[in-house]
Coordinates of all heavy atoms in Angstrom, one line a residue:
A101 N 0.7 -8.7 11.2 CA -0.2 -8.5 10.2 C 0.1 -7.1 9.5 O 0.5 -6.1 10.1 CB -1.6 -8.4 10.7
S102 N 0.0 -7.1 8.1 CA 0.1 -5.9 7.3 C -1.3 -5.4 7.1 O -2.3 -6.2 6.9 CB 0.8 -6.2 6.0 OG 2.2 -6.5 6.3
L103 N -1.5 -4.1 6.9 CA -2.8 -3.5 6.8 C -2.8 -2.6 5.6 O -1.7 -1.9 5.3 CB -3.2 -2.7 8.0 CG -3.2 -3.4 9.3 CD1 -3.6 -2.5 10.5 CD2 -4.2 -4.6 9.3
P104 N -3.9 -2.4 4.9 CA -4.0 -1.4 3.8 C -4.4 -0.1 4.4 O -5.5 0.3 4.5 CB -5.2 -2.0 3.0 CG -6.1 -2.7 4.0 CD -5.1 -3.2 5.1
M105 N -3.3 0.7 4.8 CA -3.5 1.9 5.5 C -4.2 3.0 4.7 O -4.7 4.0 5.3 CB -2.2 2.4 6.1 CG -1.6 1.4 7.2 SD -2.6 1.5 8.7 CE -2.1 3.1 9.4
N106 N -4.2 2.9 3.4 CA -4.9 3.9 2.6 C -6.4 3.6 2.5 O -7.1 4.2 1.7 CB -4.3 4.0 1.2 CG -4.2 2.7 0.5 OD1 -4.5 1.6 1.0 ND2 -3.8 2.8 -0.8
N107 N -6.9 2.6 3.2 CA -8.3 2.2 3.3 C -8.6 1.8 4.7 O -8.6 0.6 5.0 CB -8.6 1.1 2.3 CG -10.0 0.7 2.1 OD1 -10.8 0.9 3.1 ND2 -10.4 0.2 1.0
V108 N -8.9 2.7 5.5 CA -9.0 2.5 7.0 C -10.1 1.4 7.3 O -9.9 0.5 8.1 CB -9.2 3.8 7.8 CG1 -9.6 3.5 9.2 CG2 -8.0 4.6 7.7
P109 N -11.3 1.5 6.7 CA -12.3 0.5 7.0 C -11.8 -0.9 6.7 O -12.0 -1.8 7.4 CB -13.5 0.9 6.1 CG -13.4 2.4 6.0 CD -11.9 2.6 5.9
A110 N -11.2 -1.0 5.5 CA -10.6 -2.3 5.1 C -9.5 -2.7 6.1 O -9.3 -3.9 6.4 CB -10.2 -2.3 3.7
A111 N -8.7 -1.8 6.6 CA -7.6 -2.1 7.5 C -8.2 -2.6 8.8 O -7.6 -3.6 9.4 CB -6.8 -0.8 7.8
L112 N -9.3 -2.1 9.3 CA -9.9 -2.6 10.5 C -10.4 -4.0 10.3 O -10.3 -4.9 11.2 CB -11.0 -1.7 11.0 CG -10.5 -0.3 11.4 CD1 -11.7 0.7 11.6 CD2 -9.7 -0.4 12.7
E113 N -11.0 -4.3 9.1 CA -11.5 -5.6 8.8 C -10.4 -6.6 8.7 O -10.5 -7.7 9.3 CB -12.3 -5.6 7.5 CG -13.6 -4.8 7.6 CD -14.3 -4.8 6.3 OE1 -13.8 -5.5 5.3 OE2 -15.4 -4.1 6.1
E114 N -9.3 -6.2 8.1 CA -8.2 -7.1 7.9 C -7.4 -7.3 9.3 O -7.0 -8.4 9.5 CB -7.2 -6.6 6.9 CG -6.0 -7.5 6.6 CD -6.4 -8.9 6.2 OE1 -7.5 -9.1 5.7 OE2 -5.5 -9.8 6.3
M115 N -7.4 -6.3 10.1 CA -6.8 -6.5 11.4 C -7.6 -7.6 12.2 O -7.0 -8.5 12.8 CB -6.8 -5.2 12.2 CG -6.0 -5.3 13.5 SD -6.3 -3.9 14.7 CE -6.1 -2.5 13.7
E116 N -8.9 -7.5 12.2 CA -9.7 -8.5 12.9 C -9.5 -9.9 12.3 O -9.3 -10.8 13.1 CB -11.2 -8.1 12.8 CG -12.1 -9.1 13.5 CD -13.6 -8.7 13.4 OE1 -13.9 -7.9 12.5 OE2 -14.4 -9.3 14.2
R117 N -9.5 -10.0 11.0 CA -9.3 -11.3 10.4 C -7.9 -11.9 10.7 O -7.8 -13.1 11.1 CB -9.5 -11.2 8.9 CG -9.5 -12.5 8.1 CD -9.5 -12.3 6.6 NE -8.2 -12.0 6.1 CZ -7.3 -12.9 5.7 NH1 -7.6 -14.2 5.7 NH2 -6.1 -12.5 5.2
A118 N -6.9 -11.0 10.5 CA -5.5 -11.5 10.7 C -5.3 -11.9 12.2 O -4.6 -12.9 12.4 CB -4.5 -10.4 10.3
I119 N -5.8 -11.2 13.1 CA -5.6 -11.5 14.5 C -6.5 -12.7 15.0 O -6.0 -13.6 15.6 CB -5.8 -10.3 15.4 CG1 -4.7 -9.2 15.1 CG2 -5.8 -10.6 16.9 CD1 -5.0 -7.9 15.7
T120 N -7.8 -12.6 14.7 CA -8.7 -13.6 15.3 C -8.7 -14.9 14.5 O -9.0 -16.0 15.0 CB -10.1 -13.0 15.4 OG1 -10.6 -12.7 14.1 CG2 -10.1 -11.8 16.2
V121 N -8.5 -14.8 13.2 CA -8.6 -16.0 12.3 C -7.2 -16.6 12.1 O -6.9 -17.8 12.2 CB -9.3 -15.7 11.0 CG1 -9.3 -17.0 10.1 CG2 -10.7 -15.2 11.3
L122 N -6.3 -15.8 11.7 CA -4.9 -16.2 11.3 C -4.0 -16.3 12.5 O -2.9 -17.0 12.4 CB -4.3 -15.3 10.2 CG -5.1 -15.2 8.9 CD1 -4.4 -14.3 7.9 CD2 -5.3 -16.6 8.3
G123 N -4.3 -15.6 13.5 CA -3.4 -15.6 14.7 C -2.2 -14.7 14.7 O -1.2 -15.0 15.3
A124 N -2.3 -13.6 13.9 CA -1.2 -12.6 13.9 C -1.0 -12.1 15.3 O -2.0 -11.9 16.1 CB -1.6 -11.5 13.0
R125 N 0.2 -11.8 15.7 CA 0.6 -11.3 17.0 C 0.7 -9.8 17.2 O 1.0 -9.3 18.2 CB 1.9 -12.0 17.4 CG 1.9 -13.5 17.6 CD 1.1 -13.9 18.8 NE 1.0 -15.3 18.9 CZ 0.7 -16.0 20.0 NH1 0.4 -15.3 21.1 NH2 0.6 -17.3 20.1
G126 N 0.4 -9.1 16.1 CA 0.5 -7.6 16.1 C 0.2 -7.1 14.7 O -0.1 -7.8 13.8
I127 N 0.4 -5.8 14.6 CA 0.2 -5.1 13.3 C 1.4 -4.3 13.0 O 2.1 -3.9 13.9 CB -1.0 -4.3 13.2 CG1 -0.9 -3.1 14.2 CG2 -2.3 -5.1 13.5 CD1 -2.0 -2.1 14.1
Q128 N 1.7 -4.1 11.7 CA 2.8 -3.2 11.3 C 2.2 -2.0 10.6 O 1.3 -2.1 9.7 CB 3.7 -4.0 10.3 CG 4.9 -3.1 9.8 CD 5.9 -3.8 9.0 OE1 7.1 -3.8 9.3 NE2 5.4 -4.5 7.9
V129 N 2.8 -0.9 10.9 CA 2.5 0.4 10.2 C 3.8 1.0 9.8 O 4.9 0.7 10.4 CB 1.6 1.4 11.0 CG1 0.3 0.7 11.5 CG2 2.4 1.8 12.3
F130 N 3.7 2.0 8.9 CA 4.9 2.7 8.5 C 4.8 4.1 9.1 O 3.7 4.6 9.5 CB 5.1 2.7 7.0 CG 5.5 1.4 6.5 CD1 4.6 0.4 6.3 CD2 6.9 1.1 6.2 CE1 5.0 -0.9 5.9 CE2 7.3 -0.1 5.8 CZ 6.4 -1.1 5.6
T131 N 5.9 4.9 9.1 CA 5.9 6.2 9.8 C 5.1 7.2 9.2 O 4.8 8.3 9.8 CB 7.3 6.7 10.0 OG1 8.0 6.5 8.7 CG2 8.1 5.8 11.0
N132 N 4.7 7.0 7.9 CA 3.7 7.9 7.3 C 2.9 7.0 6.3 O 3.3 5.9 5.9 CB 4.4 9.1 6.6 CG 5.2 8.7 5.4 OD1 4.6 8.4 4.3 ND2 6.5 8.6 5.5
V133 N 1.7 7.5 6.0 CA 0.9 6.8 5.0 C 0.8 7.7 3.7 O 0.0 8.6 3.7 CB -0.5 6.6 5.6 CG1 -1.4 5.8 4.6 CG2 -0.4 5.8 6.9

Side-chain angles (χ1 to χ4, degrees):
S102 292
L103 303 178
M105 293 290 287
N106 56 351
N107 186 331
V108 172
L112 292 169
E113 291 179 6
E114 181 58 18
M115 188 193 311
E116 179 178 16
R117 187 188 78 92
I119 293 172
T120 63
V121 178
L122 301 180
R125 295 286 179 166
I127 64 170
Q128 177 175 237
V129 302
F130 288 80
T131 47
N132 69 78
V133 180

